[in-house]
């Protein structure tokens, strides 16, 4: 059977995608250097699916390891999650981000080409739209970057476009994720950020569980319904399913295409706080502080291209997202090694 190589498969989105792939009978092989994850996430994938996950601990920049992996396995497609993703860290360590994300992707694509594998699903981000002039965002909006992390995604998208231009046998899905949140409904898998989380949901859940005293709300003077930032939060399981649809589309020779993976609806920071308080029955004390540099007021997708081309729609509600995060957080207060 053909193998799907999942780079970064031990991470948050990758591990949830492994579950969906395994449950549909795909043969997956995970390559991850565990720089931002634990192998325990893959044990949980096995627990949920009852199947075995093949895992290689290694780096996408390791050319000889990659060559060996492609020579030893009948890989038909690569789902490429591996990358560094913290915006503030990327401003401090831009070269590390370009090295890991951009050089890593180049090494991966070179090895794919050397081995005649030209089907790639790439984890891009809504960050490539910069500060959008209007909402909702469609895939043909102008692209820009405001930080090295975002620029690494943008540069990779451009490199992949050049690659397809040079060799039209490539089929590439650029999946632009909006704001992934949620956890597996079993409570066995979820987001386990290293150190102090940057993103809203892990911060909110850590306040609810008592690991942090207070949530900082970054500004309440945005031109939004309640003044706080608005985002398109999408359940990680819905996002994972989007990858299955993309893999199936690649098989039909789609060329290179970008798809927004979002719900198409915006929620403010305070909407998220209230939803979390309701589900967890815990108070979430918060304090409004200054805007976070680089933040935009509002961002949400028009996901109709993914619906029309991939037959994909996000199905989970905000309540599902929040209750699954709460189940994960309360059952695993210290993440995978709690
Ligand atoms: P994550 O950090 O949980 O997963 C990334 C995985 O890649 C980790 O397991 C890490 O150990 C691995 N990795 C990093 N560099 C590697 C390398 N050189 N070789 C091998 N493995 C490596 O992050 P995630 O939230 O699951 O994100 C997955 C992808 O989606 C990333 O590319 C990220 O930029 C992108 N993305 C994430 C979000 C989000 O909010 N989570 C939003 C948009 C896009
Ligand atoms: C951030 C990144 C973006 C990345 C995305 C997914 C920045 C500037 N942007 O986006 O590039 O693609 O994560 O990884 O870092 N908020 C608070 N208090 C907090 C945390 C967040 O009020 O403690 C607010 C933010 O101001 C924002 C919303 O919550 O309005 C969501 O924030 P976050 O989860 O960090 O996602 P993004 O800002 O969309």
């Amino acid at each position: 059977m053909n193998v799907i190589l999942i780079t970064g498969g031990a991470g948050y989105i990758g591990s949830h995608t492994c579950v969906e792939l395994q449950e549909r009978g795909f043969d997956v092989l995970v390559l991850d250097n565990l720089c931002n994850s634990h192998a325990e996430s893959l044990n949980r994938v096995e627990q949920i699916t009852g199947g075995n996950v093949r895992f290689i601990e290694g780096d996408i920049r390791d050319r000889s390891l990659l060559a060996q992996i492609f020579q030893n396995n009948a890989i038909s497609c690569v789902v490429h999650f591996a990358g560094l993703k913290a915006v503030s860290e990327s401003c401090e360590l831009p070269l590390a981000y370009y090295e890991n994300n951009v050089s890593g992707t180049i090494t991966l694509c070179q090895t794919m080409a050397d081995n005649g594998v030209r089907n790639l699903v790439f984890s891009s981000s809504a960050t490539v739209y910069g500060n959008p002039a209007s909402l909702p965002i469609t895939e043909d909006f102008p692209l820009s970057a405001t930080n090295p992390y975002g620029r690494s995604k943008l540069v990779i998208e451009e490199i992949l476009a050049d690659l397809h231009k040079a060799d039209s046998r490539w089929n590439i899905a650029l999946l632009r994720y909006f704001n992934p949140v949620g956890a597996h409904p079993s409570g066995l898998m979820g987001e386990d950020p290293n150190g102090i989380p940057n993103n809203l949901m892990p911060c909110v859940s850590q306040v609810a569980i008592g690991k942090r005293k207070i949530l900082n709300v970054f500004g309440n003077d945005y031109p939004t319904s309640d003044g706080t930032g608005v985002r398109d939060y999408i359940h990680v399981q819905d996002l994972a399913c989007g990858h299955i649809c993309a893999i199936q589309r690649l098989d039909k020779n789609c060329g290179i295409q970008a798809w927004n993976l979002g719900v198409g609806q915006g929620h403010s920071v305070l909407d998220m706080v209230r939803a979390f308080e309701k589900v967890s029955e815990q108070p979430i004390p918060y304090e409004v502080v200054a805007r976070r540099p680089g933040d935009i007021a509002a961002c949400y997708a028009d996901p109709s291209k993914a619906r029309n081309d991939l037959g994909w729609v996000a199905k989970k509600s905000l309540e599902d997202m929040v209750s699954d995060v709460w189940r994960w957080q309360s059952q695993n207060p210290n993440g995978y090694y709690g």
Side-chain angles (χ1 to χ4, degrees), residues 7-14 31-37 58-61 80-85 100 123-126 149 153 177-180 191 199:
T7 74
Y12 171 49
I13 305 170
L31 171 66
D32 198 305
N33 66 3
L34 303 180
C35 70
N36 195 40
S37 54
D59 199 295
I60 54 165
R61 292 164 294 177
H80 178 32
F81 294 103
L84 301 175
K85 63 164 186 176
N100 195 75
S123 295
S124 190
S125 166
Y149 164 71
K153 293 292 177 191
Y177 311 154
F178 280 67
N179 287 60
E191 191 170 9
N199 295 120

Side-chain angles (χ1 to χ4, degrees), residues 115-136:
N115 290 277
V117 180
R118 295 183 194 83
N119 284 348
L120 176 69
V121 178
F122 172 62
S123 295
S124 190
S125 166
T127 193
V128 299
Y129 295 115
N131 194 351
S134 64
L135 294 167

